[in-house]
């Protein structure tokens, strides 16, 4: 089956791309464009996912002027190539700092360039998916190291077609990590079909997975297409795969080996092309040792593995996430609430969050509805025993407020400091000073590893 390849805009005065063979091996469709061509016309006729700007060949003033308009298209993941010392040019430095995810000083091996483009593409695509999502209840917001590592992992496995195994506790966001992988893959325009293996009775699971023919059993008055066949060309997500009955495990293993399915009551085999992503919260090593899960099936499914971080390992994101959810749902309180009381913030950090992000969302939503005060308290969150009652100074309150405003400005503007400063009504210099004062991520990193937005279950 032919899937759409990703499109790469290569801006250069040269007519050749030194790393073209490596890009094409990674399924990039390359279009070379000279910098003076109209950016809008080129982008409308060649909708690129990523871009390379070869500054080493674009040194004329008119070239640089043309790049200002071209690089302003934030939906494209730009990587810059520069000659030794060229980064010292103030105009080039500003363009790279404000508009590019990475820059590379030439000469350098082709693999390094292709890898940088793939990483930049994955980061931009993840953010766009989150910003376009219509389900606020499932949104995760974070910029901690664990979330950045997760985003990088998603970007890497998305470019492969091998099966993916997502392991993590309940409520950490496994299903929509699978959605993120599918959305970044070459199958993104094909179906994404999910089935919860633990939510369907064992006697119905076979027919749900593989479908059935008319007359296969009492009540089968017409043919039904199963979930596997419905995902043909796209991605099949098997949630809670650890709960799959042994009988269905054998059938799934047979499908993975033959890539064909037989509907219940049918005689013919139907070829099906799907990518398998599965997830579970159980200990698969223990399940295999106890005979509850087939080892041969597990090794077929677990080619690429992603470990979803629990909320307790994302402590730097807890307050940010809680306030983000508050802003999403505060209209349920008829406008009377103004945020979280200090004891609520303390409780958020002190609590262990066994239910992870799903539990945090539910507690915040419940507190918004039930609170009678102007601020949500620890008691409203039903976390009174985890609260601290130490007074908060005005200086601390000011710091908390400024940090929150900066975090959300960076979130809205995808880490772009110039736009965030404009939203905050301050200069870039002032924003840089505040970032340094509060120990937040500095500009050189913000432009490349801006706040990550993912979706939780």
């Amino acid at each position: 089956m032919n899937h759409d390849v990703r499109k790469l805009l290569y801006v250069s005065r040269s007519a050749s791309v030194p790393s073209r063979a490596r890009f094409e091996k990674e399924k990039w469709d390359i279009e070379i464009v000279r910098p003076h061509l109209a950016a809008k016309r080129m982008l409308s006729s060649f909708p690129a996912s990523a871009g390379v700007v070869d500054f080493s060949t674009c040194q004329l003033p008119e070239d640089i002027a043309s790049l200002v308009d071209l690089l302003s298209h934030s939906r494209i993941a730009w990587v810059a190539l520069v000659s030794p010392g060229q980064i010292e040019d103030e105009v080039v430095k500003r363009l790279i700092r404000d508009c590019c995810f990475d820059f590379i000083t030439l000469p350098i091996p082709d693999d390094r360039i292709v890898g940088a483009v793939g990483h930049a593409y994955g980061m931009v695509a993840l953010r766009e998916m989150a910003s376009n999502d219509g389900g606020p209840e499932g949104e995760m917001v974070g910029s901690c190291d664990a979330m950045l590592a997760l985003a990088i992992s998603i970007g890497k496995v998305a470019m492969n077609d091998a099966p993916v195994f997502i392991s993590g506790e309940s409520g950490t966001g496994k299903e929509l990590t699978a959605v993120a992988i599918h959305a970044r893959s070459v199958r993104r325009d094909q179906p994404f079909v999910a089935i919860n293996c633990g939510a369907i009775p064992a006697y119905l699971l076979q027919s749900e997975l593989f479908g059935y023919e008319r007359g296969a059993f009492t009540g089968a008055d017409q043919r039904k297409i199963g979930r596997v066949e419905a995902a043909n060309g796209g991605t099949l997500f098997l949630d809670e795969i650890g709960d799959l009955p042994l009988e269905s495990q054998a059938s799934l293993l047979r499908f993975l080996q033959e890539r064909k399915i037989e509907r219940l009551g049918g005689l013919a085999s139907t070829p099906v092309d799907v990518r398998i992503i599965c997830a579970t919260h159980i200990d698969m090593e223990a399940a295999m040792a106890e005979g509850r899960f087939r080892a041969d099936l597990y090794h077929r499914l677990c080619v690429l593995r992603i470990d979803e971080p629990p909320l307790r390992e994302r402590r730097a994101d807890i307050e940010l996430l809680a306030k983000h959810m508050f802003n999403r749902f505060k209209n349920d309180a008829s406008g009377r609430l103004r945020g979280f009381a200090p004891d609520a913030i303390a409780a958020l950090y002190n609590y262990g969050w066994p239910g992870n992000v799903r539990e945090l969302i539910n507690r915040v939503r419940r507190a918004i509805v039930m609170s009678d005060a102007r601020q949500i308290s620890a008691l409203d969150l039903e976390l009174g025993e985890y609260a601290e009652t130490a007074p908060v100074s005005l200086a601390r309150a000011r710091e908390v407020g400024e940090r929150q405003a900066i975090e959300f400005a960076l979130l809205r503007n995808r880490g772009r400091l110039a736009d965030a400063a404009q939203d905050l009504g301050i200069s870039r210099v002032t924003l840089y000073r505040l970032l340094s004062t509060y120990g937040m991520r500095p500009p050189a990193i913000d432009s490349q590893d801006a706040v990550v937005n993912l979706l939780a279950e």
Side-chain angles (χ1 to χ4, degrees), residues 387-435:
E388 294 176 352
T389 58
V392 178
S393 66
L394 285 176
R396 172 58 181 165
R398 186 181 301 112
E399 176 185 343
V400 170
E402 287 185 347
R403 285 179 64 94
Q404 178 185 356
I406 292 170
E407 286 170 343
F408 277 100
L410 290 172
L411 180 66
R412 286 192 302 271
N413 292 284
R414 300 177 183 176
R416 297 183 180 277
L417 293 181
D419 295 337
Q422 184 175 359
D423 275 6
L424 293 167
I426 58 178
S427 67
R428 279 182 59 95
V429 174
T430 300
L431 178 55
Y432 185 88
R433 177 178 58 79
L434 289 172
L435 289 171

Side-chain angles (χ1 to χ4, degrees), residues 171-206:
T172 52
K174 296 186 292 297
E175 177 170 354
L176 287 165
T177 292
V179 172
I181 294 170
H182 171 76
R184 307 282 63 80
S185 73
V186 293
R187 297 176 180 265
R188 58 187 172 274
D189 296 325
Q190 302 300 322
F192 176 89
V193 177
I195 181 170
N196 189 323
C197 301
I200 299 175
Y203 64 89
L204 292 178
L205 195 54
Q206 287 285 99

Side-chain angles (χ1 to χ4, degrees), residues 53-116:
V53 182
D54 189 353
F55 280 94
S56 68
T57 68
C58 304
Q59 300 182 358
L60 299 176
E62 55 267 31
D63 292 341
I64 303 299
S66 300
L67 293 178
V68 173
D69 185 35
L70 184 66
L71 296 179
S72 65
H73 292 268
S74 60
R75 67 179 177 81
I76 293 182
W78 294 106
V79 173
L81 307 180
V82 297
S83 300
Q86 194 175 15
I87 194 66
E88 301 303 322
D89 181 280
E90 287 300 322
V91 177
V92 173
K93 183 190 298 183
R94 178 175 57 81
L95 281 173
I96 293 175
R97 180 192 62 204
D98 292 344
C99 303
C100 298
F101 269 79
D102 200 357
F103 76 92
I104 297 171
T105 301
L106 300 174
I108 200 163
D110 294 347
D111 285 350
R112 173 72 175 87
I113 300 174
V114 175

Side-chain angles (χ1 to χ4, degrees), residues 233-280:
T235 301
L236 177 68
F237 176 58
L238 300 170
D239 198 8
E240 299 303 345
I241 188 70
D243 295 327
L244 193 67
L246 285 171
E247 179 184 358
S248 297
Q249 291 179 34
S251 299
L252 180 60
L253 179 61
R254 189 181 311 113
F255 163 68
L256 293 174
Q257 292 170 338
E258 300 176 1
R259 291 292 170 173
K260 296 179 181 179
I261 60 106
E262 291 183 8
R263 304 186 195 101
L264 296 181
L267 299 176
S269 295
T270 303
V272 179
D273 170 31
V274 297
R275 184 187 193 179
I276 302 293
I277 302 178
C278 57
T280 188

Side-chain angles (χ1 to χ4, degrees), residues 123-158:
M123 295 294 287
V124 166
L126 282 172
R127 291 169 198 166
E128 286 189 349
M129 191 193 76
S131 63
N132 293 333
D133 177 63
E137 190 170 348
E139 188 172 357
M140 285 182 69
V141 177
S143 59
C144 69
D145 290 344
M147 290 298 285
L148 291 176
L150 177 63
I152 292 171
S153 296
I154 289 173
K156 288 180 178 179
V157 303

